[in-house]
């Protein structure tokens, strides 16, 4: 008691006058500073493009070309780490038929699209062909190559069609909110979804609006096309099957949570997952669920799942634990868990990429930026940069 | 724990106002700030009254300090005794501020989260929403454009930060007590300049939705000051230490009599 009394006495002496206000104001400012979410490096969800023998991995402030077999880095763009470039969310896109050896198109959170003319060999450093800086917002989703156009949505709410040859703007179309998804081209029409709760159908040549459809929630999943229908999910947890001929919703399904992970089509089965970690398998012919109940992996799912080569296993990236879970596609049973590193698991917000014999994942918030696994066994083939 | 108890309720109330007020983010931020500041008004007034009384007794405390400058223990005991006799809890003002601070920080955090300027921030939002209100998910993302502002990014023309600095300076000036102590006076002057500049720096650096919050908060604070002026203004006490210090009842009577005196003068 005596100690407490002495402490109280000292406190009274120290709080005499206007000092308490000052002290508390300082504390307030300090807490504000702690609460502020600025500073440090801006993490993204990285995108990875797998081509024959070469990977193009976009993350943080650079894009790297890697040997798909060994993980050895061929080159980085920009060559040196440059402040103000990136970070990159959008997966690089290869316009294989353009230029002498193909043109790699990368879009950053720095509101810039870069076009790189690839060399004769993957190891050859590419030349920067052009850069487009005409957009007012950040690029989150990648674009789509349609003939000699690169069409990409931006955080300023516009969709830009750029000439792949010189990066000039051919047309643009304005939506009411950010466009974070990859457009889909079907015949002469381009389908774009936006956070403004709409699907837009645009003329590919001119960018003119053909028709639009309103959804209940914001759309952040890339549209998936199959047999005359588009499949999209939104933040109201609704999966839509949209008939492109009648321009109406043919069927919809209410999931448990936000739909942000892009659905994966395999034959007649559509796999999709919600942010609450529920994974669904839908038979699109008779619109019925294949599994008795959705499989809950106990994690947030944002990235697109991937399928094993034989279609027997569905690999689902868990965002918060940084773990990949394999689900038996026939029974809906959880089979394996990979990449569990309890002391520093990182996170997996990006899409998983399956390329023949390897499954690639790009964790964030840890030194390792790309991991290559052997499918089925889950053995780690390589990881870059090597964990210290 | 802080998230569940403070940030999430405020965030969901913000969304509720957003839905009720025609999906205008600025109006929703303004309403939540207003409601929270009004709800905290009794606590703030209590704090101000407590501080005012302490300031009124400051000259007596100065004399005690001189008297017992070599005996800190005795000084503390005497100060405690005087506070006790006057019915003042020297920590009372701080306790009310301790309750207010988490709420204000919670509001600040809720605005940052709900504006979600990057995809990763937006990905963290679902866990903060009350799922038993199904329409909330369909409201996301909030409309971020207002006049020339994109609420998710700093004001490109620095109009809001300037307004924030002006209002913060004026509010701070109103709150700053007059003191005869030169050291305290200098410190107060520094605070009157530093705090608005710091708030202005935040307003210029972070999302302009936060600047809106700072601005509304300052304006409500100024309004509160003029509505409840008598809780803020200090009447200088006589410099001499009276033989018998005023009791709490006496102090209350003095406070109550002041408006009448002011009226009769006018």
């Amino acid at each position: 008691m005596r100690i407490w009394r002495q402490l109280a006495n000292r406190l009274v002496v120290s709080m005499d006058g206007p000092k308490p206000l000052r002290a508390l104001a300082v504390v307030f400012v300090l807490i504000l500073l702690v609460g502020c979410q600025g500073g440090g490096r801006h993490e993204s969800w990285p995108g990875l493009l797998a081509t024959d023998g070469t990977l193009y991995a976009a993350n943080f402030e650079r894009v790297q070309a890697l040997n798909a077999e060994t993980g050895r880095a061929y080159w980085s763009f920009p060559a040196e780490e440059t402040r103000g470039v990136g970070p990159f969310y959008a997966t690089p896109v290869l316009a294989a038929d353009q230029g002498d050896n193909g043109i790699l198109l990368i879009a950053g959170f720095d509101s810039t699209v870069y076009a790189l003319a690839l060399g004769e060999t993957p190891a050859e450093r590419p030349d920067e062909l052009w850069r487009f800086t005409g957009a007012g917002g950040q690029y989150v989703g990648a674009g789509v190559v349609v003939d000699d156009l690169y069409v990409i949505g931006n955080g300023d709410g516009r969709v830009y069609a750029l000439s792949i040859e010189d990066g000039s703007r051919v047309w643009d179309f304005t939506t009411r909110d950010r466009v974070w998804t990859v457009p889909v081209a079907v015949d002469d029409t381009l389908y774009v979804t936006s956070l403004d709760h709409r699907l837009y159908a645009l003329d590919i040549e001119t960018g003119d609006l053909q028709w639009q459809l309103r959804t209940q929630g914001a759309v952040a999943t890339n549209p998936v096309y199959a047999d005359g229908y588009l499949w999209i999910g939104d933040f109201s947890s609704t999966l839509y099957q949209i008939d492109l001929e009648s321009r109406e919703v043919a069927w919809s399904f209410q999931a448990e949570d936000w739909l942000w992970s892009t659905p994966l089509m395999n034959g007649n089965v559509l796999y999709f997952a919600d942010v609450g970690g529920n994974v669904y398998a839908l038979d699109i012919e008779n619109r019925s669920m294949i599994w008795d109940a959705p499989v809950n992996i106990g994690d947030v799912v944002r990235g697109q799942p991937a399928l094993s080569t034989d279609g027997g296993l569905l690999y689902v990236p868990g965002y918060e634990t940084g773990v990949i879970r394999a689900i038996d596609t026939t029974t809906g049973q959880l089979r394996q868990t990979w990449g569990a590193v309890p002391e520093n698991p990182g996170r997996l917000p990006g899409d998983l990429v399956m390329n023949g014999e390897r499954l690639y994942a790009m964790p964030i918030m840890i030194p390792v930026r790309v991991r290559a696994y052997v499918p089925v066994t889950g053995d780690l083939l390589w990881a870059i940069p090597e964990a210290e | 724990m802080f998230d569940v108890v403070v940030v999430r309720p405020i965030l969901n109330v913000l969304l509720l106002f957003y839905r009720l007020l025609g999906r205008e983010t600025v109006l929703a931020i303004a309403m939540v700030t207003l409601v929270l500041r009004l709800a905290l008004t009794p606590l703030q007034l209590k704090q101000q009254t407590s501080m005012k009384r302490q300031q009124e007794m400051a000259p007596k405390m100065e004399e005690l300090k001189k008297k017992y400058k070599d005996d800190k223990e005795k000084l503390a005991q005497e100060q405690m005794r005087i506070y006790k006799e006057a019915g003042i809890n020297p920590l009372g003002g701080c306790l009310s501020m301790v309750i207010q601070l988490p709420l204000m920080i919670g509001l600040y955090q809720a605005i940052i989260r709900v504006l979600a300027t990057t995809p990763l921030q937006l990905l963290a939002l679902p866990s903060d929403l009350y799922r038993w209100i199904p329409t909330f998910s369909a409201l996301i993302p909030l409309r971020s454009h207002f006049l020339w502002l994109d609420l998710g990014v700093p004001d490109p023309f620095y109009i809001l930060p300037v307004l924030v600095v002006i209002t913060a300076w004026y509010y701070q000036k109103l709150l700053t007590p007059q003191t005869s102590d030169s050291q305290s006076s200098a410190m107060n002057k520094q605070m009157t300049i530093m705090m608005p500049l710091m708030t202005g720096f935040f307003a210029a650096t972070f999302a302009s939705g936060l600047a809106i919050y700072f601005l509304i908060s300052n304006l409500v604070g100024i309004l509160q000051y003029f509505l409840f002026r008598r809780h803020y203004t200090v009447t200088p006490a006589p410099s001499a230490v009276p033989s018998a210090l005023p009791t709490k009842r006496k102090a209350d009577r003095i406070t109550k009599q002041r408006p009448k005196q002011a009226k009769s003068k006018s």
Side-chain angles (χ1 to χ4, degrees):
Chain A
M1 276 305 283
R2 198 178 159 196
I3 295 170
W4 286 114
R5 199 172 295 136
Q6 282 177 347
L7 268 174
N9 286 347
R10 283 190 185 175
L11 205 56
V12 166
V13 173
S14 69
M15 302 204 63
D16 183 31
K19 283 179 186 170
L21 245 189
R22 289 201 300 269
L24 283 170
V26 170
V27 170
F28 179 61
V29 170
L30 283 175
I31 294 168
L32 276 185
L33 278 169
V34 171
C36 290
Q37 295 171 2
R41 295 179 88 181
H42 180 148
E43 277 283 6
S44 62
W45 51 65
L48 187 131
L49 169 70
T51 63
D52 289 339
T54 308
L55 304 176
Y56 298 99
N59 71 52
F60 269 146
E61 295 95 358
R62 62 185 180 172
V63 173
Q64 277 187 303
L66 308 169
N67 182 312
E69 201 172 322
T70 62
R72 187 170 67 86
Y74 291 132
W75 49 261
S76 286
F77 175 85
E80 300 297 326
E81 207 166 273
T82 312
R83 299 289 292 177
V85 173
F88 295 100
Y89 280 78
T91 303
V93 171
L94 181 63
D97 300 334
Q98 303 285 328
D100 294 335
N101 306 296
I103 293 174
L104 191 71
L105 298 149
I106 51 180
F109 215 62
D110 60 348
S111 311
T112 308
V113 177
Y114 304 86
L116 308 180
L118 296 178
E120 284 183 11
T121 64
E124 196 177 321
R125 180 172 293 284
D127 296 322
E128 187 180 329
L129 205 58
W130 50 260
R131 60 175 69 182
F132 173 74
T133 55
Q138 301 92 354
Y139 294 101
V140 172
V144 61
V145 172
V146 187
D147 298 328
D148 55 352
L149 291 181
Y150 182 56
V151 189
I152 186 168
N154 185 268
D156 64 4
R158 288 196 175 92
V159 180
Y160 295 90
L162 310 175
S163 160
I164 295 177
E165 193 183 349
D166 58 10
S168 61
R169 184 189 319 204
V170 178
W171 55 259
D172 63 64
F173 174 81
T174 306
T175 73
R176 294 173 176 81
D177 208 324
R178 290 155 280 182
V179 180
W180 282 358
T181 51
V182 182
V184 168
V186 181
D187 300 329
D188 296 330
T189 308
L190 188 84
Y191 297 96
V192 181
T193 54
S194 166
L195 295 186
D196 69 0
H197 303 206
R198 282 173 182 83
L199 164 74
Y200 296 93
L202 309 177
D203 185 296
I204 286 181
E205 291 291 320
T206 62
D208 291 339
L209 177 68
Q210 292 180 344
W211 55 276
Q212 59 179 299
L213 188 137
R214 213 183 148 104
T215 57
Q216 292 176 55
V219 185
T221 63
N222 299 334
V224 172
Y225 173 77
D227 299 329
Y229 295 97
L230 270 191
W231 295 85
I232 57 172
D234 72 6
F235 286 177
S236 77
S237 314
T238 310
L239 177 79
Y240 302 87
Q241 181 188 18
I242 296 160
D243 185 340
L244 298 185
E245 201 174 305
S246 68
R247 302 174 177 183
E248 286 176 353
V249 175
W251 179 78
S252 66
F253 171 79
Q254 195 65 31
E256 297 283 321
D257 214 323
W258 290 18
L259 292 169
W260 199 339
S261 162
T262 295
L264 178 70
M265 189 70 77
N266 185 38
N268 290 329
V269 182
L270 185 78
Y271 298 100
F272 61 102
D274 64 32
V275 169
N278 301 295
V279 185
Y280 309 80
L282 174 73
D283 182 332
I284 60 167
E285 277 204 338
N286 55 27
R287 294 164 177 164
S288 63
M289 290 296 167
I290 293 173
W291 304 328
D292 294 338
V295 180
N296 191 292
I297 66 162
D299 202 344
V300 172
V301 180
R302 207 303 304 175
Q304 188 185 33
L307 266 177
S308 61
T309 315
D310 63 359
L313 287 176
L314 181 75
Y315 306 106
V316 184
Y319 168 64
E320 288 191 328
T321 58
V323 162
I324 298 168
R325 288 165 178 92
I327 300 171
D328 188 315
T329 54
T330 312
T331 62
Q333 299 290 312
L334 272 170
R335 287 267 294 272
Q336 292 149 345
T337 300
W338 303 345
V341 186
E343 65 274 15
N344 194 4
R347 295 192 168 191
L348 273 183
D351 301 340
L352 293 179
V353 176
M354 173 65 83
N355 188 23
E357 295 164 357
R358 286 174 287 273
L359 177 74
Y360 302 102
M362 297 186 71
I364 63 169
M365 298 178 185
I366 52 173
V368 171
R369 304 306 290 188
V370 186
R371 282 190 180 129
Y373 294 98
V374 180
V376 184
T377 65
D379 292 338
L380 184 69
L381 277 169
W382 51 260
I384 59 142
E386 293 289 343
E388 290 170 12
Chain B
M1 185 66 182
F2 182 71
D3 273 8
V4 175
V5 177
V6 182
V7 181
R8 282 183 197 165
I10 296 174
L11 187 147
N12 284 278
V13 169
L14 188 67
L15 283 174
L16 187 67
F17 277 122
Y18 178 74
R19 197 174 66 183
L20 295 175
L21 298 170
R23 301 195 175 195
E24 279 299 338
T25 311
V26 168
L27 287 182
I29 292 172
M31 276 306 289
V32 175
T33 311
L34 189 69
V35 166
L36 214 54
R37 289 295 300 245
L38 289 178
L40 292 172
T41 299
L43 275 174
Q44 279 180 328
L45 293 182
K46 198 176 173 190
Q47 173 197 333
Q48 285 300 331
T49 307
S50 175
M51 280 169 54
K52 192 183 89 170
R53 277 194 184 158
Q54 284 184 57
Q55 283 158 24
E56 282 170 350
M57 297 179 75
K60 296 161 204 163
M61 291 300 169
E62 282 301 316
E63 290 196 13
L64 278 178
K65 272 184 190 171
K66 282 177 195 164
K67 190 173 175 185
Y68 299 110
K69 63 181 177 186
D70 299 325
D71 189 352
K72 293 267 181 196
E73 195 73 20
K74 181 72 179 165
L75 172 65
Q77 281 173 4
E78 281 299 306
Q79 285 180 331
M80 279 291 271
R81 186 182 62 77
I82 290 170
Y83 280 138
K84 205 174 173 182
E85 283 177 7
I88 297 171
N89 179 2
L91 299 177
C94 304
L95 285 176
S96 59
M97 197 174 252
V98 164
I99 296 169
Q100 289 173 51
L101 270 177
L103 290 176
M104 299 318 289
I105 293 162
L107 175 58
Y108 177 89
Q109 287 283 339
I111 292 170
I112 286 179
R113 288 186 197 186
V114 88
L115 283 174
T117 52
T118 68
L120 279 177
Q121 284 176 347
L122 192 58
L123 189 54
L125 190 58
S127 59
D128 289 327
L129 301 182
Y130 288 156
R131 293 314 172 85
W132 42 271
I133 311 177
T135 51
F136 273 9
S137 287
L139 297 174
I140 306 297
L142 269 60
R143 273 167 60 178
S144 59
H145 287 277
F146 179 74
L147 299 176
W148 73 97
L149 296 168
D150 178 350
L151 299 174
V153 298
D155 178 358
F157 303 117
Y158 298 99
I159 295 169
L160 265 183
V162 169
L163 289 175
V164 167
V165 170
I166 292 168
T167 52
W169 170 79
Y170 186 56
Y171 183 43
Q172 192 70 29
K173 196 171 182 297
L174 292 175
L175 290 185
T176 304
Q178 297 293 324
T179 172
S180 53
D181 179 9
S182 60
Q183 195 189 347
S184 296
S185 179
M187 287 286 277
N188 287 341
K189 267 186 185 170
Q190 275 184 355
M191 289 299 290
T192 312
I193 295 166
M194 289 307 293
M195 282 298 284
L197 285 180
M198 204 166 274
T199 320
F201 172 74
F202 286 134
T205 314
F206 296 109
S208 47
L210 282 174
I212 296 279
Y213 152 67
F214 287 135
L215 184 64
I216 304 279
S217 193
N218 290 339
L219 290 174
V220 173
I222 291 166
L223 189 69
Q224 270 180 350
Y225 177 87
F226 286 110
L227 284 176
F228 306 102
R229 202 170 187 163
R230 68 190 176 88
H231 291 266
Y232 292 84
T233 48
V234 179
T235 308
S239 58
V241 182
S243 54
L245 287 156
T247 60
K248 182 180 184 296
R249 202 176 289 170
K250 269 186 184 174
D252 284 344
R253 212 181 303 144
I254 292 164
T255 315
K256 282 174 190 169
Q257 281 169 355
R258 242 167 242 143
K260 287 179 189 172
Q261 288 167 356
K263 270 184 189 174
S264 63
K265 274 180 190 173
S266 63

